[in-house]
Amino acid sequence: MVKSYLKFEPSNSFGVVASSNSNIVWSSRGKAGTGAGQAIAAANEEVFVWDIKKGELLARWKDENCRAKVTAIAQSRTDPDVFAVGYEDGSIRVWDSKIATSVVSFNGHKSAIVVLAFDKTGVRLASGAKDTDVIIWDLVAEVGQYKLRGHKDQITGLHFVEPDPVMQGEGDEGQPLMAVDTEAAEGFLLTTGKDALIKLWDLASRHCIETHVAQTNGECWALGVTPDCSGCVTAGNDGEMTVWALDVAALASSAQQVDLSQSINFLRDRGTLHRQSKERAVEVIFHPRRDYFAVHGVEKSVEIWRIRNEAEIKKSLARKKKRRREKLKEKKADRELEVDDADDKADDITKADISDVIVQHVIVRTAGKVRSIDWATNQGNKDMQLLVGSTNNLLELYTIIGKDKLESKGDAPDYNKALAVELPGHRTDIRSLAISSDDKMLASAANGSLKIWNIKTETCVRTFECGYALCCAFLPGDKVVVVGTKEGELQLYDVASATLLETVNAHEGHAIWSLQVHPDGKSVVSGGADKTAKFWDFKIVQEQVLGSTRTTPKLKLVQARILKVSDDILSLRFSPDAKLLAVALLDSTVKVFFVDTLKLYLNLYGHKLPVLSMDISYDSKLIVTSSADKNIRIWGLDFGDCHKALFGHQDSILQVVFIPHNSDGNGHHFFSASKDRTIKYWDADKFEQIQRIDGHHGEIWALAVSHSGTTLISASHDKSIRVWQETDEQIFLEEEREKELEELYESTLTTSLEQDPDSQDADREVAAASKQTVETLMAGERIAEALELGMADLNTLREWEEAKQSNPSVAPPQRNPIFLALGNIPAETYVLNTLQKIKPSALHDALLVLPFSAVPMLFTFLNLFALREMNVPLTCRILFFMLKTHHKQVVASRTMRAMLEGIRTNLRRALRRQKDEMGYNIAALRVVGMQIRERSVREYVDENWEAENGAEQGTRKRAFVHVS
């Protein structure tokens, strides 16, 4: 009989505040949040929305089909509820934050998305990736428009530059006329790459109109553009920042011209600034409403720079001029002419040195290395606030005092930390997990912190400061947690009172790699790098309260026995029957001792590298060991023979753990976790892998199985703690093997398709935004299948019609059961339904899968769609794409030419009718609009609105306007 097993599925995950592989975005307060606003941050494959004031998680956006990490986030400028999220596998999803669901998904890049940007109208999205391509996506049609190629290394910055169209001439009553030009409306795109280039692309003609070397020292890592697009800053290695002036007016007028002289340079180098830090820059972000910008690298600080206003620049220039005059006063008279020339130059602020225009305001020192920043702007909040996401799983909000808020002239600018989200996660990797005896609480220990979690609610109940924790365990009663540290200390923490009870210097400064509570619950054993295993008894000692005669009971650890071995102890385990103690040494051996006499019982040889973890089965009959040599070995504890050596993982196996009982005959089942980011579920009797559990994005340091055996908890380098629950779904090993082979085949299939770029697009600056995936291949197969079924049905019906002319009483033919099951629909409706079900973004790639022999069948149905006016936009889109793709073959075929004539006639008739209908509707709407305008009476006018609006616009001055 085939044995079936129960499957473990992901239940929930917690412990992440913000992962370090993506940027963060600030969103001003929504309906659900408090007045402080929200932080949108990546959390591995999910996106978290944090209420920055309460430190609460408001929403989590997760696509069940996506396991890739989030690498870029951008917010739409027109609709604040729309966010674009880029992933490590090159896919992009557009999320609606109100309903927390993905509304559109795109797939065009071959590698991780680095940067995303929306245009001014929120209709287009630009994406840049590590594959050096920039793709422009149409969010309305849900398709990729085109791919821009020009950079030779990963894209690091993107920004739409959309100048307002130039006014030309005057109309009636002196009203200026707008230059209405559909091409001009496309605007321009500014991009930077790691190849140290900055490029300006004309999106109307889809080519690069200007290229400059942005950084002199090798790489350009960041691009920041002023809110009015009059200038930008690029940043690279060695703390170097280049300031560029962008001639927006010339760009706007150039959009109207056909022939441009080559001498025009829209981008002009205005000089170089130097940051205090010499690390490479990561981000440059301008404040949306004030003359400040923030820049940071990979260090623990953010530099705030300020753009001076016109008066300040003039004052600075005058000071320099005065100094120069004083220096040259004593020199010869023949130098006077030269001085006057220099003075004239100094008076012109457009020629002022960039260091006179942009000055450093303040350096914000942060708690962790900075990964991403964003300006926090709230309605009515006059303070300048900066949101900082650190690489150590932390979000902080800083309030920065601007120049206008300084009390006196001599005051230095300052900042203060306003809020932070830090409790829901560890700052460093979790090295050990322990579950309480009632399976309700979880202890997680890391370098510097120990946290107690409620497993059901996923909330952090207690946080303790501790040393560099390497192992931890709940003591009987679940009220005390013991932690072993790298400094050789055993620390006892009381969960209820949140206090440190005692610190014992157990191993004299040598790391405690492992500890375990004795099965009887009366003692604990610790094993360290000092080549000893020490046994500690729990004693309740009456301790005198200071300043009084009263005594209070206190738990103490008292050393009872010591076991000395030949090498460092990496792991130790009691057998559940408390008779044996297994000790794993640095010399790759495992020694098994009797607990009562501490005499050697067994020596287990076989691993080539040290054993990192081990566990003993519930019945004390099997011991399983895992090693850095990627192997798992199953041994019998009766004779110490190796039952089986399994090549378990692709990297070091950090943890193995048995299910602690035998309720369903699963007492010999165990889990293993590795640096290769996977957990595997094994049967130690049959020596077979039951299930591979994927989900983590970093090496898995710790595993813990609940005492009920139905819950597995894992902790990883990606800072997440994941809970996996046993389900009622059964696993059959043959099916699992087949599924794994299919996954392997699909991954190799898509990578082989990607390695063959379209030959005609290989050397071009513009290419089609397409990418073959398993989804598009399956969609192509569905189209081919539907066409074959449809054609067979059309032929059957045609033959019946012909037979009916000679014999009217002939019975109708037997149609395919699929058509009958769908309500006896015609073949063209079935084919159209198949085409409509394919996502617009995947349609072109799916059509490319079709062989040319299927094109005549497709054109037959396109003719029927046009004749019956069925979904004309989709019909036109498919027709034009197929004509463009198979142009030469279609032109060469006589039968196809005749077919195209029919399609053209039918399509033109359908389009003409639709055009007339739309024209009639537009005219009617105009009439209705005129009637509403005539009847409407302005009952209320806000007199202050114009003045306020003017004042607000007046505050948006930009020094770039003067210096460009």
Side-chain angles (χ1 to χ4, degrees):
M1 183 184 165
V2 177
K3 186 175 179 184
S4 67
Y5 304 87
L6 294 178
K7 193 172 192 177
F8 278 80
E9 287 281 346
S11 163
N12 50 39
S13 71
F14 51 93
V16 183
V17 176
S19 49
S20 62
N21 35 277
S22 169
N23 63 314
I24 54 171
V25 172
W26 173 267
S27 176
S28 55
R29 61 185 180 275
K31 287 173 188 173
T34 57
Q38 298 167 3
I40 318 294
N44 296 319
E45 73 277 11
E46 298 178 82
V47 177
F48 283 179
V49 181
W50 291 100
D51 183 324
I52 200 78
K53 195 170 188 179
K54 292 181 180 174
E56 281 180 7
L57 188 60
L58 299 175
R60 49 201 302 173
W61 310 340
K62 185 183 180 184
D63 190 331
E64 293 302 325
N65 305 322
C66 180
R67 282 185 181 167
K69 283 195 285 191
V70 173
T71 53
I73 306 171
Q75 186 179 18
S76 172
R77 286 194 263 174
T78 48
D79 186 350
D81 293 322
V82 172
F83 291 84
V85 178
Y87 294 83
E88 198 175 37
D89 60 357
S91 62
I92 299 165
R93 284 166 181 75
V94 179
W95 291 83
D96 186 336
S97 65
K98 275 184 182 169
I99 50 175
T101 49
S102 165
V103 285
V104 185
S105 66
F106 298 120
N107 216 332
H109 288 285
K110 295 189 179 81
S111 56
I113 307 292
V114 178
V115 60
L116 293 166
F118 281 93
D119 74 344
K120 201 158 51 176
T121 56
V123 171
R124 287 175 303 168
L125 175 72
S127 62
K130 284 186 178 175
D131 62 5
T132 75
D133 294 335
V134 175
I135 299 182
I136 308 294
W137 306 92
D138 185 336
L139 297 179
V140 177
E142 298 182 14
V143 293
Q145 292 183 324
Y146 46 88
K147 188 184 283 184
L148 299 173
R149 291 171 168 168
H151 286 285
K152 296 287 179 264
D153 209 332
Q154 80 171 50
I155 309 298
T156 54
L158 273 183
H159 202 281
F160 279 97
V161 179
E162 295 165 285
D164 294 324
V166 180
M167 305 285 190
Q168 289 183 343
E170 286 192 351
D172 298 333
E173 302 170 8
Q175 292 293 322
L177 293 174
M178 291 282 281
V180 181
D181 188 350
T182 52
E183 291 293 300
E186 296 228 4
F188 301 86
L189 187 72
L190 203 57
T191 63
T192 55
K194 200 174 144 189
D195 55 5
L197 298 179
I198 180 167
K199 285 176 175 280
L200 185 63
W201 303 81
D202 184 346
L203 297 182
S205 59
R206 299 180 184 179
H207 77 285
C208 179
I209 54 173
E210 214 169 296
T211 303
H212 298 274
V213 175
Q215 303 301 128
T216 57
N217 53 10
E219 292 167 342
C220 177
W221 283 100
L223 168 72
V225 182
T226 58
D228 58 0
C229 295
S230 63
C232 64
V233 174
T234 57
N237 296 335
D238 303 330
E240 184 183 279
M241 293 193 296
T242 311
V243 183
W244 303 84
L246 183 59
D247 197 338
V248 186
L251 273 179
S253 58
S254 75
Q256 316 297 323
Q257 298 169 19
V258 177
D259 183 31
L260 279 176
S261 61
Q262 292 300 310
S263 59
I264 297 178
N265 261 2
F266 301 112
L267 268 175
R268 205 156 45 80
D269 189 344
R270 282 288 288 115
T272 305
L273 298 169
H274 289 278
R275 291 167 53 226
Q276 201 175 60
S277 165
K278 295 298 174 199
E279 296 282 342
R280 73 171 174 88
V282 175
E283 265 180 325
V284 177
I285 294 187
F286 277 83
H287 195 286
R289 294 203 284 268
R290 301 173 71 169
D291 291 332
Y292 291 86
F293 68 86
V295 58
H296 72 89
V298 289
E299 69 282 347
K300 292 184 177 183
S301 65
V302 180
E303 294 181 24
I304 312 293
W305 293 70
R306 186 172 64 84
I307 305 167
R308 287 173 165 171
N309 58 29
E310 202 170 321
E312 283 181 294
I313 299 169
K314 281 183 178 171
K315 202 172 174 184
S316 172
L317 292 177
R319 206 180 299 123
K320 278 193 175 179
K321 182 177 171 182
K322 188 181 175 185
R323 221 175 286 144
R324 199 182 295 113
R325 277 189 180 281
E326 283 171 3
K327 275 185 185 177
L328 296 169
K329 214 172 191 180
E330 298 153 9
K331 296 204 174 181
K332 292 178 185 177
D334 59 333
R335 298 290 298 274
E336 279 175 21
L337 188 65
E338 209 175 301
V339 174
D340 290 339
D341 287 348
D343 288 349
D344 291 342
K345 276 185 186 176
D347 287 339
D348 185 4
I349 65 163
T350 58
K351 293 186 175 67
D353 190 58
I354 199 67
S355 58
D356 293 325
V357 181
I358 299 172
V359 289
Q360 195 174 77
H361 181 63
V362 69
I363 297 176
V364 178
R365 304 287 175 191
T366 58
K369 287 184 179 176
V370 183
R371 169 56 185 89
S372 178
I373 54 170
D374 199 9
W375 289 104
T377 51
N378 279 337
Q379 211 68 34
N381 190 350
K382 299 274 176 70
D383 289 333
M384 201 160 54
Q385 291 189 312
L386 186 74
L387 179 70
V388 177
S390 307
T391 55
N392 64 349
N393 201 23
L394 181 67
L395 287 175
E396 295 171 304
L397 186 71
Y398 289 91
T399 301
I400 294 150
I401 296 159
K403 182 136 194 329
D404 50 340
K405 290 278 180 77
L406 295 177
E407 299 290 330
S408 63
K409 218 174 183 183
D411 281 2
D414 201 4
Y415 64 91
N416 62 314
K417 186 167 157 182
L419 299 162
V421 181
E422 55 187 338
L423 277 182
H426 284 278
R427 304 285 77 79
T428 50
D429 285 8
I430 296 165
R431 297 302 298 265
S432 178
L433 293 174
I435 298 178
S436 63
S437 59
D438 57 3
D439 293 342
K440 287 180 180 174
M441 286 193 297
L442 173 78
S444 61
N447 178 7
S449 61
L450 166 73
K451 285 181 182 283
I452 311 295
W453 306 83
N454 182 325
I455 296 175
K456 197 174 182 183
T457 61
E458 307 168 28
T459 51
C460 179
V461 184
R462 290 277 184 273
T463 299
F464 302 97
E465 280 188 19
C466 68
Y468 194 137
L470 297 173
C471 47
C472 68
F474 274 98
L475 297 190
D478 300 331
K479 288 180 181 162
V480 178
V481 177
V482 59
V483 173
T485 69
K486 203 171 185 175
E487 296 80 34
E489 292 178 340
L490 284 175
Q491 297 177 331
L492 292 175
Y493 293 94
D494 186 346
V495 176
S497 64
T499 53
L500 172 63
L501 294 176
E502 190 185 11
T503 300
V504 181
N505 187 5
H507 288 261
E508 288 91 31
H510 295 87
I512 300 173
W513 290 109
S514 184
L515 61 82
Q516 201 193 8
V517 178
H518 192 282
D520 67 5
K522 292 176 183 173
S523 63
V524 64
V525 64
S526 62
D530 60 352
K531 305 178 184 178
T532 61
K534 294 185 178 179
F535 297 80
W536 307 86
D537 288 341
F538 303 136
K539 290 273 171 70
I540 302 295
V541 179
Q542 294 295 330
E543 200 171 71
Q544 191 172 342
V545 179
L546 285 171
S548 73
T549 54
R550 286 185 301 110
T551 58
T552 178
K554 195 173 181 186
L555 180 71
K556 288 269 187 188
L557 289 180
V558 180
Q559 187 178 323
R561 292 188 293 169
I562 186 165
L563 169 68
K564 293 187 177 179
V565 287
S566 59
D567 214 333
D568 294 13
I569 296 175
L570 299 182
S571 178
L572 38 76
R573 277 285 171 274
F574 281 112
S575 61
D577 61 9
K579 288 180 180 173
L580 302 172
L581 173 70
V583 179
L585 305 181
L586 191 61
D587 62 6
S588 310
T589 63
V590 176
K591 296 186 186 300
V592 185
F593 297 90
F594 290 107
V595 174
D596 49 2
T597 61
L598 294 186
K599 285 190 174 171
L600 182 65
Y601 169 50
L602 294 170
N603 259 326
L604 308 180
Y605 297 103
H607 283 290
K608 295 181 180 69
L609 289 170
V611 171
L612 302 176
S613 176
M614 57 187 180
D615 202 12
I616 299 173
S617 64
Y618 80 103
D619 55 7
S620 306
K621 287 183 178 174
L622 294 179
I623 179 168
V624 62
T625 57
S626 70
S627 163
D629 63 10
K630 308 174 192 175
N631 282 314
I632 297 167
R633 284 179 179 263
I634 300 161
W635 316 76
L637 270 178
D638 41 7
F639 302 110
D641 56 326
C642 181
H643 290 187
K644 189 74 174 175
L646 301 164
F647 179 73
H649 290 266
Q650 302 300 317
D651 210 330
S652 301
I653 303 166
L654 300 172
Q655 196 88 27
V656 282
V657 56
F658 268 106
I659 287 178
H661 58 72
N662 193 31
S663 59
D664 303 314
N666 57 4
H668 287 179
H669 297 174
F670 66 92
F671 294 94
S672 65
S674 164
K675 276 189 178 178
D676 68 3
R677 307 177 182 188
T678 61
I679 300 167
K680 290 187 178 178
Y681 185 22
W682 304 87
D683 185 338
D685 290 329
K686 293 195 166 187
F687 317 125
E688 283 190 299
Q689 180 188 318
I690 301 166
Q691 186 188 353
R692 192 183 78 203
I693 303 171
D694 294 306
H696 279 292
H697 300 283
E699 53 261 35
I700 300 161
W701 288 109
L703 280 184
V705 178
S706 65
H707 297 82
S708 64
T710 57
T711 306
L712 170 73
I713 300 177
S714 57
S716 162
H717 172 66
D718 63 17
K719 303 287 193 295
S720 69
I721 301 170
R722 291 175 193 254
V723 181
W724 316 84
Q725 290 286 1
E726 190 178 60
T727 60
D728 294 332
E729 189 184 337
Q730 290 190 323
I731 294 177
F732 294 96
L733 298 184
E734 291 77 12
E735 287 178 14
E736 282 294 303
R737 295 298 89 79
E738 280 175 25
K739 203 188 290 179
E740 280 182 23
L741 283 171
E742 273 176 30
E743 282 175 14
L744 187 66
Y745 169 69
E746 283 176 2
S747 64
T748 51
L749 178 69
T750 47
T751 47
S752 65
L753 284 166
E754 282 171 21
Q755 282 163 1
D756 181 26
D758 197 350
S759 55
Q760 63 184 16
D761 288 341
D763 302 319
R764 286 167 57 185
E765 202 172 47
V766 181
S770 64
K771 179 189 175 187
Q772 286 290 1
T773 60
V774 175
E775 184 188 9
T776 58
L777 292 171
M778 288 170 70
E781 286 170 11
R782 283 201 301 275
I783 295 171
E785 197 181 310
L787 288 173
E788 283 172 16
L789 278 174
M791 281 307 291
D793 191 66
L794 287 179
N795 291 333
T796 309
L797 289 174
R798 194 180 66 247
E799 285 165 11
W800 177 61
E801 291 288 344
E802 286 169 1
K804 211 166 136 182
Q805 286 173 359
S806 56
N807 181 13
S809 60
V810 68
Q814 184 69 39
R815 295 183 74 204
N816 192 302
I818 292 173
F819 297 115
L820 299 172
L822 293 168
N824 209 13
I825 57 169
E828 57 269 27
T829 307
Y830 176 69
V831 173
L832 184 66
N833 288 346
T834 306
L835 290 164
Q836 282 174 333
K837 280 175 190 168
I838 297 164
K839 279 193 237 167
S841 54
L843 182 62
H844 286 179
D845 292 320
L847 290 168
L848 284 174
V849 175
L850 293 179
F852 184 70
S853 56
V855 174
M857 292 193 280
L858 182 62
F859 277 30
T860 305
F861 282 102
L862 290 176
N863 192 19
L864 288 169
F865 300 158
L867 186 67
R868 293 176 174 72
E869 294 189 22
M870 298 162 75
N871 200 339
V872 177
L874 181 66
T875 305
C876 293
R877 193 177 155 205
I878 294 169
L879 176 67
F880 299 148
F881 178 74
M882 295 310 282
L883 285 175
K884 196 165 73 174
T885 309
H886 301 291
H887 181 256
K888 288 176 184 171
Q889 294 95 320
V890 170
V891 169
S893 168
R894 281 186 185 175
T895 51
M896 296 283 282
R897 209 177 302 169
M899 201 180 277
L900 280 171
E901 284 293 330
I903 295 174
R904 184 173 68 173
T905 310
N906 292 330
L907 203 54
R908 280 194 173 168
R909 189 172 63 247
L911 288 169
R912 198 176 296 117
R913 198 195 65 72
Q914 284 202 352
K915 187 182 171 187
D916 292 345
E917 193 178 288
M918 283 173 72
Y920 182 85
N921 289 342
I922 289 167
L925 286 168
R926 279 186 185 145
V927 170
V928 170
M930 281 161 59
Q931 287 173 348
I932 289 168
R933 274 198 300 277
E934 282 168 13
R935 289 175 193 165
S936 66
V937 179
R938 292 180 182 83
E939 292 176 354
Y940 168 70
V941 176
D942 188 349
E943 294 169 0
N944 302 327
W945 180 81
E946 227 170 82
E948 279 175 14
N949 200 37
E952 190 184 311
Q953 285 184 347
T955 59
R956 297 192 179 195
K957 57 185 183 298
R958 284 280 168 267
F960 274 97
V961 175
H962 306 302
V963 299
S964 57

